[in-house]
Amino acid sequence: MQTTSHASTNGPYPSPHEGGVAVTPAKPGKLLRLPAVMERCALGRSSIYAGVKAGTFVAPVRLSSRAVAWREDEIDRWISERITTGTK
């Protein structure tokens, strides 16, 4: 008599044949470099970095020792917060 194991051999995600719900990892958001952030936010370079230092603007993500970028979803959220607070 042969026994079969029902444990997943495909890692942490169930295969379609296991009867479970397959979970797809979230797609990472787009990263924006400084010129795109400046254009989207209508702010200059020094205003952006002053805001980062003061904690009033989104902090960048370090890409390398000399390169940073901002998460697009965080920039969009920052813009929508400005629009929301400006209409009150």
Side-chain angles (χ1 to χ4, degrees):
M1 181 176 192
Q2 188 177 25
T3 60
T4 58
S5 173
H6 294 286
S8 174
T9 58
N10 297 331
Y13 304 109
S15 74
H17 305 293
E18 291 180 14
V21 176
V23 178
T24 305
K27 182 179 176 183
K30 186 175 179 182
L31 294 175
L32 303 174
R33 298 298 302 268
L34 183 60
V37 174
M38 290 169 56
E39 185 173 323
R40 270 198 174 181
C41 298
L43 294 173
R45 175 187 315 264
S46 60
S47 296
I48 289 172
Y49 281 108
V52 169
K53 186 176 181 178
T56 58
F57 193 76
V58 180
V61 175
R62 179 146 311 274
L63 302 177
S64 69
S65 63
R66 295 184 55 177
V68 296
W70 284 260
R71 291 182 178 94
E72 183 179 38
D73 59 335
E74 291 181 359
I75 294 297
D76 291 342
R77 190 175 315 117
W78 183 88
I79 292 170
S80 66
E81 288 172 0
R82 302 291 83 65
I83 293 170
T84 303
T85 57
T87 59
K88 289 183 181 180

